[in-house]
């Protein structure tokens, strides 16, 4: 023990001389985008088979594109990746079984009815600059983005993390904040977040240069026929995270195409989302009670 006597500290008052009063609040809240991540999403066997399939289709991948929201022009600006439009009833069934839980966690209330999916590949220098997924869905205020990660183990690439940006609420509007969360691209994991959230893929490296060592994903956009306004109106004050969704849509407004787009700019085709199977759908376990 210390040989010094312990005495109670006396609180010090920080008054107006040290901290002058302010006539009005000047702070602006920064709100994280809601996000939900699952590990071991497909399981070792299915994940390995899907990775082998992606590698085997190397010759069918093409350069990923972006859609300019103002001009409607398609380009490769700000993006370096390879894409292959795909559909999968097995993957859609897994999505359907976990979506009720995802929506519960994210505080999401809109009906979801269809998916749009592409396989992506990022090798040396692969990246995707800051963007939203407004060009992929009809209503960015209610749609979800999902990114499922695949790669060889040990990992043959570096970098490639997902940065999910917070939203700054100020002056009656919203915009992406400077702060963000980083999500590692771990094999057989999937992450869900609002399609209106600003995000980016940081540059990756691939020392071997082999296609099989790339960072692969199944990137899916999940949407419905409802509107953000209707979903927000039906939400109660206790719905938690869903109250941020209209703000996310507001921040993403400038990235939304001015005219309706008939076809996905990477060639993906929408398919109907099946209903969740009551026997296999995911649910949160009941919390343990402490005695």
């Amino acid at each position: 023990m210390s040989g010094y006597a312990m005495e109670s500290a006396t609180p010090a008052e920080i008054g107006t001389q040290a901290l002058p009063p302010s006539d009005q609040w000047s702070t602006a809240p920064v709100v994280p985008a809601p996000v939900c991540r699952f590990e071991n999403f497909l399981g070792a066997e299915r994940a390995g088979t899907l990775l082998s399939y992606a590698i085997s289709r190397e010759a069918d991948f093409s350069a990923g594109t972006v859609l300019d929201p103002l001009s409607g022009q398609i380009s490769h600006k700000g993006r370096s990746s390879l894409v292959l439009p795909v559909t999968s009833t097995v993957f859609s069934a897994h999505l359907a079984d976990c979506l009720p839980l995802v929506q519960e966690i994210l505080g999401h209330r809109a009906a979801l009815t269809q998916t749009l999916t592409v396989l992506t590949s990022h090798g040396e220098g692969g990246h995707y600059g800051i963007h939203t997924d407004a060009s992929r869905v009809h209503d960015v205020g209610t749609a979800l983005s999902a990114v499922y990660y695949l790669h060889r183990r040990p990992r043959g690439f570096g970098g490639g993390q997902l940065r999910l940006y917070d939203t700054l609420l100020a002056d009656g509007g919203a915009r992406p904040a400077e702060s963000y969360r980083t999500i590692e691209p771990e094999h057989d994991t999937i992450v869900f977040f609002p399609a209106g959230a600003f995000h980016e893929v940081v540059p990756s490296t691939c020392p071997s240069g082999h296609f099989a060592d790339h960072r692969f994903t199944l990137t899916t956009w999940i949407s419905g026929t409802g509107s953000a306004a209707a979903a927000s109106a039906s939400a109660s004050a206790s719905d938690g995270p869903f109250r941020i969704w209209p703000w996310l849509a507001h921040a993403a407004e400038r990235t939304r195409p001015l005219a309706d787009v008939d076809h996905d700019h990477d060639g993906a085709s929408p398919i109907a989302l099946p209903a969740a199977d009551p026997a296999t759908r995911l649910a949160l376990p009941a919390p343990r009670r402490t005695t």
Side-chain angles (χ1 to χ4, degrees), residues 2-213:
S2 170
Y4 296 96
M6 301 295 291
E7 296 183 1
S8 300
T10 302
E13 170 67 22
I14 303 176
T16 57
Q17 186 174 3
L19 190 64
S22 176
D23 293 331
Q24 62 183 16
W25 289 103
S26 59
T27 187
V30 174
V31 183
V35 61
C36 178
R37 179 176 174 271
F38 292 90
E39 298 179 349
N40 307 314
F41 184 66
L42 293 183
E45 184 177 0
R46 281 181 170 170
T49 301
L50 183 55
L51 177 60
S52 297
Y53 172 83
I55 295 171
S56 72
R57 297 292 301 273
E58 177 180 2
D60 300 315
F61 280 77
S62 59
T65 61
V66 297
L67 177 67
D68 186 284
L70 296 179
S71 67
Q73 297 296 311
I74 296 174
S75 71
H76 305 288
K77 184 179 180 181
R79 183 180 187 186
S80 177
S81 62
L82 299 173
V83 300
L84 175 64
V86 294
T87 60
S88 170
T89 55
V90 174
F91 188 72
S92 293
H94 275 262
L95 288 176
D97 282 350
C98 75
L99 276 176
L101 178 55
V102 170
Q103 290 185 279
E104 181 180 350
I105 292 172
L106 301 187
H108 184 267
R109 297 294 178 266
L112 299 171
T113 59
Q114 69 178 29
T115 63
L116 196 73
T117 304
V118 295
L119 263 172
T120 74
S121 169
H122 287 74
E124 183 66 33
H127 67 279
Y128 199 159
I130 300 176
H131 65 286
T132 76
D133 291 331
S135 66
R136 306 287 188 168
V137 295
H138 174 69
D139 188 343
V140 72
T142 60
L144 283 172
S145 296
V147 184
Y148 173 70
Y149 296 103
L150 293 160
H151 61 76
R152 275 183 166 181
R153 290 180 290 183
R155 190 184 297 184
F157 68 90
Q161 293 88 355
L162 172 69
R163 285 181 177 174
L164 187 61
Y165 283 82
D166 300 335
T167 300
L168 175 68
L169 312 183
D171 302 322
R175 61 180 184 270
E178 295 183 359
S179 56
Y180 54 81
R181 280 173 290 176
T182 299
I183 298 169
E184 287 290 335
E186 298 291 350
H187 179 71
D188 197 23
T189 65
I190 189 169
V191 60
F192 296 85
F193 55 91
F198 279 84
H199 58 284
E200 71 173 314
V201 179
V202 304
S204 59
T205 61
C206 185
S208 74
H210 297 153
F211 185 73
D213 286 329

Side-chain angles (χ1 to χ4, degrees), residues 132 134 139-142 167 174 194-198 228 244-256:
T132 76
D139 188 343
V140 72
T142 60
T167 300
F198 279 84
I244 188 59
W245 288 65
W247 291 100
L248 291 169
H250 189 288
E253 182 64 24
R254 292 183 180 179
T255 70
R256 184 180 62 83

Side-chain angles (χ1 to χ4, degrees), residues 216-239:
F216 294 96
T217 72
L218 268 181
T219 302
T220 302
W221 301 277
I222 312 165
S223 59
T225 55
S227 69
S232 179
S234 66
S236 68
S238 62
D239 280 333

